[in-house]
Amino acid sequence: MARLTMTDTGRIYLDHNAGAPMRPCVVELVRDLLTRAGNPSSVHGEGRAARALIEAARARVAGLCGVPASCVTFTSGATEANVTALSPLWKAGRGERQFTRLLTCGTEHPSVTAGGRFPAAARELLPVGADGILDVAALAARVQALSAAGEMPLVAAQAANSETGVLQPLAEIARALDGTSAILHVDAVQAAGRIAIDMAGWRADSIALSAHKIGGPQGAGALVLRDAGLRPAPLLTGGGQENWNRAGTENVVAIAGFGLAAELAAAETGGWDEIAAFRDGLERALCHIWSDTVVFGAGVPRLANTCCFAVPGVAAETALIALDLGGIAVSSGSACSSGKVGVSPVLAAMGVPADLARGAIRVSLGRDSGPGEIERFLAAWRQISGRIRQAGAGRAA
């Protein structure tokens, strides 16, 4: 298989949490499908062939999650899946459930912290510790209080944070909901392909997935339910596609690529030990270069591929530009729509001082990342961060 970290120009790609390069076999599939016609809602042969591709992909995504295929609804991406799930109205068999409160925390993806379809007055952010872990005791107390008052909370908690890699204790979070009518939605975008997607163990009622995080095409995602009988009211209405759960003609090419990527990702969840060793070596080297390096989320369970760090006095925006000019693609803790680096809401929720948070750099490795790429990054980082700190010291003098 071709390496996924290097491009033909010799650049190094260490930003897999933002988007993984498309797998070569997925590229081949997509290339072939681009030449085919057929609306999957049509009854002719071409339409039936398109429908077959979607249903095959649905089965593959369901296999990644350990649920029946009927529990998978394809979307344009995880943002749409999250917004769909964050609905006050859910269908329960022939009845309905009306949720009155959304409980989440400030380290979630913006599509979750924005509240979905809950009104602003019904959204609450719960505290996280300095390590980025949700305060489960605070969650349990709040859920119990709301339930005692006759309210029905919907809780949203991510499996893994995209910036720090921190893993939330989903089983503990689910236990905090025991004895109540609360349900749990999980943003599992960063977890897919890196840890097992265990909806039963997590006791998650729904999860969101994204194709391009696991080597599939951009423009496809899924809302996956543990029980197809309990589902949110559709976000997009008007057509009967996706069993009336999401109107609009399906993106057949992207969905088919998503399905193939999901099947491959399901076989990879246990093979990250070597990447974890590379990540740990990277962090030791960073702290050797600058002893005041801060690694965010260190000491708690994290994704094996993710390192988020900062060095006091080294602005991320300046460093990212220099690294990019040197042929190395990494990311910052946060990027706003203007493309400028801002203070990460994730790090702010963890109580990280703004001056330090502005220096956050995220290195996220892929399965094919190797020591050569890490060594080249470290050499560049030593030079670039040294120049920035020296310039800062000169201005201070």
Side-chain angles (χ1 to χ4, degrees), residues 31 41 74 137 237 262 287 386:
R31 183 182 294 118
S41 296
F74 288 116
T237 60
C287 292

Side-chain angles (χ1 to χ4, degrees), residues 2-14 16 21 327 368-369 372-373 376:
R3 292 189 62 81
L4 300 178
T5 52
M6 300 286 289
T7 68
D8 293 339
T9 60
R11 288 180 59 84
I12 295 175
Y13 186 75
L14 299 175
H16 288 254
D368 291 318
S369 297
E373 288 85 3
R376 182 170 153 188

Side-chain angles (χ1 to χ4, degrees), residues 64-387:
L64 173 66
C65 303
V67 299
S70 59
C71 291
V72 176
T73 297
F74 288 116
T75 65
S76 62
T79 288
E80 183 189 327
N82 281 330
V83 175
T84 301
L86 302 188
S87 168
L89 178 63
W90 280 55
K91 304 299 180 72
R94 295 184 179 180
E96 295 180 347
R97 288 195 194 179
Q98 188 75 39
F99 295 96
T100 59
R101 193 81 54 157
L102 172 65
L103 302 181
T104 186
C105 65
T107 58
E108 295 287 323
H109 187 271
S111 63
V112 173
T113 57
R117 290 180 276 176
F118 279 84
R123 307 170 195 162
E124 293 185 20
L125 292 181
L126 296 169
V128 299
D131 53 11
I133 300 292
L134 175 66
D135 186 334
V136 179
L139 168 66
R142 188 59 181 142
V143 168
Q144 292 296 331
L146 289 169
S147 297
E151 295 206 41
M152 290 181 62
L154 189 157
V155 177
Q158 63 194 179
N161 187 267
S162 65
E163 296 182 25
T164 63
V166 168
L167 303 177
Q168 292 293 345
L170 294 176
E172 292 180 33
I173 290 170
R175 284 195 293 271
L177 312 185
D178 283 348
T180 74
S181 298
I183 65 171
L184 176 62
H185 171 68
V186 173
D187 180 341
V189 166
Q190 296 294 340
R194 296 169 183 164
I195 62 174
I197 302 298
D198 184 8
M199 292 190 71
W202 296 347
R203 291 161 62 186
D205 295 282
S206 60
I207 67 171
L209 297 175
S210 181
H212 74 274
K213 306 294 188 181
I214 57 173
Q218 296 179 3
L223 177 65
V224 184
L225 306 175
R226 184 154 53 102
D227 178 356
L230 179 63
R231 61 196 187 282
L235 175 65
L236 299 179
T237 60
Q241 294 89 350
E242 294 302 291
N243 196 28
W244 296 95
N245 291 318
R246 196 267 189 187
T249 301
E250 296 96 337
N251 185 344
V252 178
V253 174
I255 287 171
F258 182 13
L260 179 54
E263 182 176 72
L264 297 172
E268 296 173 348
T269 53
W272 289 88
D273 290 349
E274 185 178 29
I275 298 301
F278 290 156
R279 190 273 311 275
D280 293 344
L282 165 66
E283 293 179 349
R284 287 192 296 269
L286 289 169
C287 292
H288 180 74
I289 294 172
W290 300 112
S291 61
D292 53 352
T293 297
V294 177
V295 178
F296 302 110
V300 298
R302 287 181 292 160
L303 292 173
N305 77 316
T306 305
C307 168
C308 184
F309 71 96
V311 175
V314 179
E317 188 164 19
T318 304
L320 287 175
I321 292 171
L323 287 165
D324 186 42
L325 291 172
I328 301 172
V330 295
S331 187
S332 69
S334 177
C336 65
S337 59
S338 66
K340 295 182 179 180
V341 175
V343 175
S344 161
V346 170
L347 299 182
M350 294 166 61
V352 177
D355 286 348
L356 183 62
R358 289 191 184 94
I361 300 289
R362 181 189 67 192
V363 177
S364 49
L365 309 176
R367 289 189 63 84
D368 291 318
S369 297
E373 288 85 3
I374 294 172
E375 289 169 8
R376 182 170 153 188
F377 167 77
L378 287 168
W381 175 251
R382 182 188 297 273
Q383 294 179 358
I384 290 166
S385 60
R387 289 199 303 267

Side-chain angles (χ1 to χ4, degrees), residues 42 55 66 105 228 360:
S42 299
E55 297 312 319
C105 65

